[in-house]
Amino acid sequence: MSFTIPRNVPSFTNPQRRAEDNRWGSSGSVHGRGPAAPMSSSPRMGSMFERRELPMYKDKPYNYSSAGRRRQWWRRKRVAASAFLLFIGLLWWLNVVTRSSDTRTRHARKGSGIFGWLSGGRSVIDWDERREKVKDAFIRSWDSYEKYAWGQDEFHPIAKTGREMVPGGLGWIIVDSLDTLMIMNLTSRLVHAREWISTHLDYEKDHDVNTFETTIRMLGGLLSAHYLSTTFPTMAPLTDDNEGAPGEDLYLEKATDLADRLMGAFSSATGIPYASVNLKELKGLPSHVDGGASSTAEASSVQLEMKYMAYLTGEKQYWEKAEKVMQVIDDNGVQDGLVPIFIYPENGLFRDQNIRLGSRGDSYYEYLIKQYLQTSKQEPVYLEMWEQALAGVRKHLITYSNPSNITVLGELPEGIGGPLSPKMDHLVCFMPGTIALGVTGGATEAELRAQGKWTQKQTEEMQLARQLMQTCWGMYEATETGLAAEITYFNIYDPPLMEADHVRPLEHLSSAKDAKWKEDYVIKSLDTHNLQRPETVESLFYLWRITGDEKYRHWGWEMFESFMKQTIVEDGRGFTSLDNVNEIPPPKRDNMESFWLAETLKYFYLLFSPNDLLPLDQVIINTEAHFFPRFELGKLFSTGWKRRPRDASGKIIDGAGGVQHVATVTAAETIVKIATVTHAETHTA
């Protein structure tokens, strides 16, 4: 399908675009590879990263320069009036200084300001200018990687080293960042990335890789690059990917090669993909932990990518393999749509009963509604599964903190009926945006209300999305650095208050340092790290686009400022994960995750961009922030399975009218032969 080119995509025929690579030479960042060599930097960008006592954009109306010969004051007319005005001006000046001092004190709590503009503010906010600051951060990160670890799969910005996951590398960072380069119109850097992909990227590796991570990052990155380069030709335009050019199908060719190799992961008896796959042998390998079970989220979060592959190539095997997974999972007949977080590939049964929307569970729910939207709402089975799951979340997992009544999305380690754990991974913060997307399908709330298509159910679900969004923002506000911990716990009531108890949630979180609500947030010593994760800004992006409420942009800007202050490395050449978000200065981990470039900075950039850049009602975004188009099934594709009959709670009804209970298997009850494998990836679903 074809879309209108966004208004904000600049022209690249203008000679001024040559300045793109001239901006970072003196700031400590480098871009000396590929076609674009270092050139002189602009004074504006060179000064941007200097340490300053005052914000760059702070108005100082009291700072006047004298000029000309001064006349004696007693010879001026209207001395009394002048003295009065001077007195008033002095009072005003003292008030400004006091307020400025208060502002600097608040920002000092969040960390020292390495960027001059961080503590500044303007009465009129220029969101385009803020978007450029995000672009600057991306360039600084990318250029440091490009100089010190080009082509390698990991980057350590403090040590200035990299590491390959397999000999020759998989392009983990390069491929994952392709569409960000395009969206930000960083053409020369994209040229260098394409050159590496064309000459170095080879998937003929006798090595096993994580099925899920490779699919969402590498396959998703290549497919998104193909989509953007063919649908938006003026977005970071290149000549070698034009129609008829030798590199026209570079991304799709690499994606097809990789997808064919990933098919080996689906060779289990049930079709549930193994946790890993050997790229050369095309052989799936069970997990070496968790009793050989696959993560439920990982198994059920490859569908968007495989279905788009099928749509592009006409090869139905991708489609059939992906949707078979959904049938096997659904045939378990879970209660209220909530699935345990592990499933065995060999028998299709769940392992234990642990239910959570954090690691190992999260993107199962995300991909339900997104599969429905990807195929233009022509597969209602996924909408039905999403609505059932969301109702289950509201019934069993939503609780409230004590005493502030902050909305919490907890966990059920022992399944439904067991105790509720008030634990929220940062990963759970994808949920506010996904709920909002499910409510409107990508349209704005205002549009649906104006059309008379708004229901009480939508009102309730949007309220939940807003409440959880505030909870996730609170994870940032509650720490010394202004950055969220990997895991947050909450003080809750005993017994827990649930949504059915009609609790009135806290409507506003005060930003005061000593705000009482912060006492409801509990961060344990082993959970204080920050991995530059994107989930909160991802949801801010969705909530802003759908509701139009600018507070979500303001929250995002505060978060971005904290990332800039706290995660930049000492020499300014890159950003890193942190060990402790409650220490100032925070100890650093010396690792830049690929999703810092692929997701976190991309979502910040989109949050501050005009809404016609990749409209939500025309695209679908995978769990690694890669963009695919929405499409219709057509004659070639269809939903190849149907849900089995079930009761109101979701439990399957057998032929005699009885209810089948969900079968779960513990590690002690099933013996699984596990191949000895080496896993390079540590990032969880």
Side-chain angles (χ1 to χ4, degrees), residues 122-168:
R122 290 178 171 179
S123 57
V124 178
I125 296 173
D126 187 337
W127 292 108
D128 288 340
E129 184 176 299
R130 290 186 169 185
R131 180 178 66 163
E132 288 303 305
K133 295 294 186 282
V134 178
K135 183 176 179 179
D136 295 340
F138 178 91
I139 292 173
R140 178 167 288 264
S141 302
W142 177 268
D143 286 359
S144 185
Y145 164 73
E146 187 177 44
K147 179 175 183 180
Y148 298 109
W150 184 243
Q152 300 191 62
D153 302 308
E154 296 179 8
F155 178 46
H156 309 292
I158 297 176
K160 304 293 186 288
T161 60
R163 189 180 78 88
E164 293 177 340
M165 292 164 51
V166 301

Coordinates of all heavy atoms in Angstrom, one line a residue, residues 122-168:
R122 N 12.1 27.3 28.1 CA 11.6 28.4 27.4 C 10.1 28.5 27.6 O 9.4 27.4 27.8 CB 11.9 28.4 25.9 CG 13.3 28.6 25.5 CD 13.5 28.4 24.0 NE 14.9 28.8 23.6 CZ 15.3 28.7 22.4 NH1 14.5 28.3 21.4 NH2 16.5 29.1 22.1
S123 N 9.5 29.7 27.5 CA 8.1 29.8 27.7 C 7.4 29.1 26.5 O 6.3 28.6 26.7 CB 7.7 31.2 27.8 OG 8.1 32.0 26.7
V124 N 7.9 29.2 25.3 CA 7.4 28.5 24.2 C 8.3 27.4 23.8 O 9.5 27.7 23.5 CB 7.2 29.5 23.0 CG1 6.7 28.8 21.8 CG2 6.3 30.7 23.4
I125 N 7.9 26.2 23.8 CA 8.7 25.0 23.5 C 8.8 24.7 22.1 O 7.8 24.7 21.4 CB 8.2 23.8 24.3 CG1 8.2 24.0 25.8 CG2 9.0 22.5 23.9 CD1 7.6 23.0 26.6
D126 N 10.0 24.6 21.6 CA 10.2 24.2 20.2 C 10.5 22.7 20.1 O 11.6 22.2 20.4 CB 11.4 25.0 19.6 CG 11.6 24.8 18.1 OD1 11.1 23.8 17.6 OD2 12.3 25.7 17.5
W127 N 9.5 21.9 19.8 CA 9.6 20.5 19.8 C 10.5 20.0 18.7 O 11.2 19.0 18.8 CB 8.2 19.8 19.7 CG 7.4 20.0 20.9 CD1 6.3 20.8 21.1 CD2 7.7 19.4 22.2 NE1 5.8 20.8 22.4 CE2 6.6 19.9 23.1 CE3 8.6 18.6 22.7 CZ2 6.6 19.5 24.4 CZ3 8.5 18.2 24.1 CH2 7.5 18.7 24.9
D128 N 10.6 20.7 17.6 CA 11.5 20.4 16.5 C 12.9 20.5 17.0 O 13.8 19.7 16.7 CB 11.3 21.3 15.3 CG 10.0 20.9 14.5 OD1 9.5 19.8 14.7 OD2 9.5 21.8 13.8
E129 N 13.2 21.5 17.8 CA 14.5 21.7 18.3 C 14.9 20.6 19.3 O 16.0 20.1 19.3 CB 14.6 23.1 19.0 CG 16.0 23.4 19.6 CD 16.0 24.8 20.2 OE1 15.8 25.8 19.5 OE2 16.3 24.9 21.4
R130 N 13.9 20.2 20.1 CA 14.1 19.1 21.0 C 14.4 17.8 20.3 O 15.2 16.9 20.7 CB 13.0 18.9 22.0 CG 12.9 20.1 23.0 CD 11.8 19.9 24.1 NE 12.0 20.9 25.1 CZ 11.3 21.0 26.2 NH1 10.3 20.1 26.4 NH2 11.5 21.9 27.1
R131 N 13.6 17.6 19.2 CA 13.9 16.4 18.4 C 15.3 16.4 17.8 O 15.9 15.3 17.8 CB 12.9 16.4 17.2 CG 13.0 15.2 16.3 CD 12.0 15.2 15.2 NE 12.2 16.3 14.2 CZ 11.7 16.4 13.0 NH1 10.9 15.4 12.6 NH2 11.9 17.4 12.2
E132 N 15.8 17.5 17.5 CA 17.2 17.6 17.0 C 18.2 17.2 18.1 O 19.2 16.7 17.8 CB 17.5 19.0 16.5 CG 16.8 19.3 15.1 CD 17.2 18.3 14.1 OE1 18.4 18.1 13.8 OE2 16.3 17.7 13.5
K133 N 17.9 17.5 19.3 CA 18.7 17.1 20.4 C 18.8 15.6 20.5 O 19.8 15.0 20.8 CB 18.2 17.7 21.8 CG 18.3 19.2 21.8 CD 19.7 19.7 21.8 CE 19.8 21.2 22.0 NZ 19.4 22.0 20.8
V134 N 17.7 14.9 20.3 CA 17.7 13.5 20.3 C 18.5 13.0 19.1 O 19.3 12.0 19.3 CB 16.2 12.9 20.1 CG1 16.2 11.4 20.1 CG2 15.4 13.4 21.3
K135 N 18.4 13.6 18.0 CA 19.2 13.2 16.8 C 20.7 13.4 17.1 O 21.5 12.5 16.8 CB 18.8 14.0 15.6 CG 19.5 13.7 14.3 CD 18.9 14.6 13.2 CE 19.6 14.3 11.9 NZ 19.0 15.2 10.8
D136 N 21.0 14.5 17.8 CA 22.4 14.7 18.2 C 22.9 13.6 19.1 O 24.1 13.1 18.9 CB 22.5 16.0 19.0 CG 22.2 17.2 18.1 OD1 22.2 17.1 16.9 OD2 21.9 18.3 18.7
A137 N 22.1 13.1 20.0 CA 22.5 12.0 20.9 C 22.7 10.7 20.1 O 23.7 10.0 20.4 CB 21.5 11.8 22.0
F138 N 21.9 10.5 19.1 CA 22.0 9.3 18.3 C 23.4 9.4 17.5 O 24.1 8.4 17.5 CB 20.9 9.2 17.3 CG 21.0 8.0 16.4 CD1 20.5 6.7 16.8 CD2 21.7 8.1 15.2 CE1 20.7 5.6 15.9 CE2 21.9 7.0 14.4 CZ 21.4 5.7 14.7
I139 N 23.6 10.6 17.0 CA 24.9 10.7 16.2 C 26.1 10.5 17.1 O 27.0 9.8 16.7 CB 24.9 12.1 15.5 CG1 23.8 12.2 14.5 CG2 26.3 12.4 14.9 CD1 23.7 13.6 13.9
R140 N 26.0 11.1 18.3 CA 27.1 10.9 19.2 C 27.3 9.4 19.5 O 28.5 8.9 19.6 CB 26.9 11.7 20.5 CG 27.9 11.6 21.5 CD 27.7 12.6 22.6 NE 28.0 13.9 22.1 CZ 29.2 14.5 22.3 NH1 30.2 13.9 23.0 NH2 29.5 15.7 21.8
S141 N 26.3 8.7 19.7 CA 26.4 7.2 20.0 C 26.9 6.5 18.8 O 27.8 5.6 18.9 CB 25.0 6.7 20.4 OG 24.5 7.4 21.5
W142 N 26.3 6.7 17.7 CA 26.6 6.0 16.5 C 28.1 6.3 16.0 O 28.8 5.3 15.7 CB 25.7 6.4 15.3 CG 26.0 5.7 14.0 CD1 26.8 6.2 13.0 CD2 25.6 4.5 13.5 NE1 26.9 5.4 12.0 CE2 26.1 4.3 12.3 CE3 24.7 3.5 14.1 CZ2 25.9 3.1 11.5 CZ3 24.5 2.4 13.3 CH2 25.0 2.2 12.1
D143 N 28.5 7.5 16.1 CA 29.8 7.8 15.6 C 30.9 7.2 16.5 O 32.0 6.8 16.0 CB 30.0 9.3 15.5 CG 29.3 10.0 14.4 OD1 28.7 9.2 13.6 OD2 29.3 11.2 14.2
S144 N 30.6 7.1 17.8 CA 31.6 6.5 18.7 C 31.7 5.0 18.4 O 32.8 4.4 18.3 CB 31.2 6.7 20.1 OG 32.1 6.2 21.0
Y145 N 30.5 4.3 18.2 CA 30.5 2.9 17.8 C 31.2 2.7 16.5 O 32.0 1.8 16.3 CB 29.1 2.4 17.7 CG 28.9 1.1 16.9 CD1 29.3 -0.1 17.5 CD2 28.4 1.1 15.6 CE1 29.2 -1.3 16.8 CE2 28.3 -0.1 14.9 CZ 28.7 -1.3 15.5 OH 28.6 -2.4 14.8
E146 N 31.0 3.6 15.5 CA 31.6 3.5 14.2 C 33.1 3.6 14.2 O 33.8 2.9 13.5 CB 31.0 4.6 13.3 CG 31.4 4.5 11.8 CD 30.8 5.6 11.0 OE1 30.8 6.8 11.4 OE2 30.3 5.3 9.9
K147 N 33.6 4.4 15.1 CA 35.1 4.6 15.2 C 35.7 3.4 16.0 O 36.8 3.0 15.5 CB 35.4 5.9 15.9 CG 36.9 6.1 16.1 CD 37.2 7.5 16.7 CE 38.8 7.7 16.7 NZ 39.2 9.0 17.3
Y148 N 35.1 3.0 17.0 CA 35.8 2.1 17.9 C 35.4 0.6 17.8 O 36.1 -0.3 18.3 CB 35.6 2.5 19.4 CG 36.2 3.9 19.7 CD1 35.4 5.0 19.9 CD2 37.6 4.1 19.7 CE1 35.9 6.2 20.2 CE2 38.1 5.3 19.9 CZ 37.3 6.4 20.2 OH 37.8 7.6 20.4
A149 N 34.2 0.3 17.2 CA 33.8 -1.1 17.2 C 33.0 -1.4 16.0 O 32.1 -2.3 16.0 CB 32.9 -1.3 18.5
W150 N 33.3 -0.8 14.9 CA 32.5 -1.0 13.7 C 32.3 -2.4 13.3 O 33.3 -3.2 13.2 CB 33.1 -0.2 12.5 CG 32.3 -0.2 11.3 CD1 32.7 -0.7 10.1 CD2 31.0 0.3 11.1 NE1 31.7 -0.5 9.1 CE2 30.7 0.1 9.7 CE3 30.1 1.0 11.9 CZ2 29.4 0.5 9.2 CZ3 28.9 1.4 11.3 CH2 28.5 1.2 10.0
G151 N 31.1 -2.8 13.0 CA 30.8 -4.2 12.6 C 30.7 -5.2 13.7 O 30.3 -6.3 13.4
Q152 N 31.0 -4.8 14.9 CA 30.9 -5.7 16.0 C 29.6 -5.7 16.6 O 28.8 -4.7 16.5 CB 32.0 -5.5 17.0 CG 33.4 -5.6 16.4 CD 34.6 -5.6 17.4 OE1 34.6 -6.5 18.3 NE2 35.4 -4.6 17.3
D153 N 29.2 -6.7 17.4 CA 27.8 -6.8 17.9 C 27.6 -6.2 19.2 O 26.5 -6.0 19.6 CB 27.5 -8.3 17.9 CG 27.6 -9.0 16.6 OD1 27.1 -8.5 15.6 OD2 28.4 -10.0 16.5
E154 N 28.6 -5.9 20.0 CA 28.5 -5.3 21.2 C 29.5 -4.1 21.3 O 30.5 -4.1 20.6 CB 28.9 -6.2 22.4 CG 28.0 -7.4 22.6 CD 28.4 -8.3 23.7 OE1 29.3 -7.9 24.4 OE2 27.8 -9.4 23.8
F155 N 29.2 -3.1 22.0 CA 30.0 -1.9 22.1 C 30.1 -1.4 23.6 O 29.1 -1.3 24.3 CB 29.4 -0.7 21.3 CG 30.3 0.5 21.4 CD1 31.6 0.5 21.3 CD2 29.6 1.7 21.5 CE1 32.4 1.7 21.4 CE2 30.4 2.9 21.6 CZ 31.7 2.9 21.5
H156 N 31.3 -1.2 24.0 CA 31.6 -0.7 25.3 C 32.2 0.7 25.2 O 33.4 0.8 25.0 CB 32.6 -1.7 26.1 CG 32.1 -3.1 26.0 ND1 31.0 -3.6 26.6 CD2 32.6 -4.2 25.3 CE1 30.8 -4.9 26.4 NE2 31.8 -5.3 25.6
P157 N 31.4 1.7 25.4 CA 31.8 3.1 25.1 C 32.8 3.6 26.0 O 33.5 4.6 25.7 CB 30.5 3.9 25.1 CG 29.6 3.1 26.0 CD 30.0 1.6 25.8
I158 N 33.0 3.1 27.2 CA 34.1 3.6 28.1 C 35.4 3.0 27.7 O 36.4 3.7 27.6 CB 33.7 3.2 29.6 CG1 32.4 4.0 30.0 CG2 34.9 3.7 30.5 CD1 31.9 3.6 31.4
A159 N 35.5 1.7 27.6 CA 36.7 1.0 27.2 C 37.0 1.2 25.7 O 38.2 1.0 25.3 CB 36.6 -0.5 27.5
K160 N 36.1 1.7 24.9 CA 36.2 1.9 23.5 C 36.6 0.6 22.8 O 37.5 0.5 22.0 CB 37.3 2.9 23.2 CG 37.1 4.3 23.9 CD 35.9 5.0 23.3 CE 35.7 6.4 23.9 NZ 35.2 6.4 25.3
T161 N 35.8 -0.5 23.2 CA 36.0 -1.8 22.5 C 34.7 -2.4 22.1 O 33.6 -1.9 22.6 CB 36.7 -2.8 23.5 OG1 35.9 -2.9 24.7 CG2 38.1 -2.2 23.9
G162 N 34.8 -3.4 21.3 CA 33.6 -4.1 20.9 C 33.8 -5.6 21.0 O 34.9 -6.1 21.3
R163 N 32.8 -6.4 20.7 CA 32.9 -7.8 20.7 C 31.9 -8.4 19.7 O 30.8 -7.9 19.5 CB 32.6 -8.4 22.1 CG 32.9 -9.9 22.2 CD 32.6 -10.3 23.7 NE 31.1 -10.5 23.8 CZ 30.5 -11.6 23.5 NH1 31.1 -12.7 23.0 NH2 29.1 -11.7 23.7
E164 N 32.4 -9.5 19.0 CA 31.5 -10.2 18.1 C 30.8 -11.3 18.8 O 31.4 -12.1 19.6 CB 32.3 -10.7 16.9 CG 32.9 -9.6 16.0 CD 33.8 -10.2 14.9 OE1 34.2 -11.4 15.1 OE2 34.0 -9.5 13.9
M165 N 29.6 -11.5 18.5 CA 28.8 -12.6 19.1 C 29.2 -13.9 18.4 O 29.2 -15.0 19.0 CB 27.3 -12.4 18.9 CG 26.8 -11.3 19.8 SD 25.2 -10.7 19.3 CE 24.2 -12.2 19.2
V166 N 29.5 -13.9 17.1 CA 30.0 -15.0 16.4 C 31.2 -14.5 15.5 O 31.2 -13.3 15.2 CB 28.9 -15.6 15.5 CG1 27.7 -16.1 16.3 CG2 28.5 -14.6 14.4
P167 N 32.1 -15.3 15.1 CA 33.2 -14.9 14.2 C 32.6 -14.2 13.0 O 31.8 -14.7 12.3 CB 33.9 -16.2 13.8 CG 33.6 -17.1 15.0 CD 32.2 -16.8 15.4
G168 N 33.1 -13.0 12.7 CA 32.7 -12.2 11.6 C 31.5 -11.3 11.9 O 31.2 -10.4 11.1

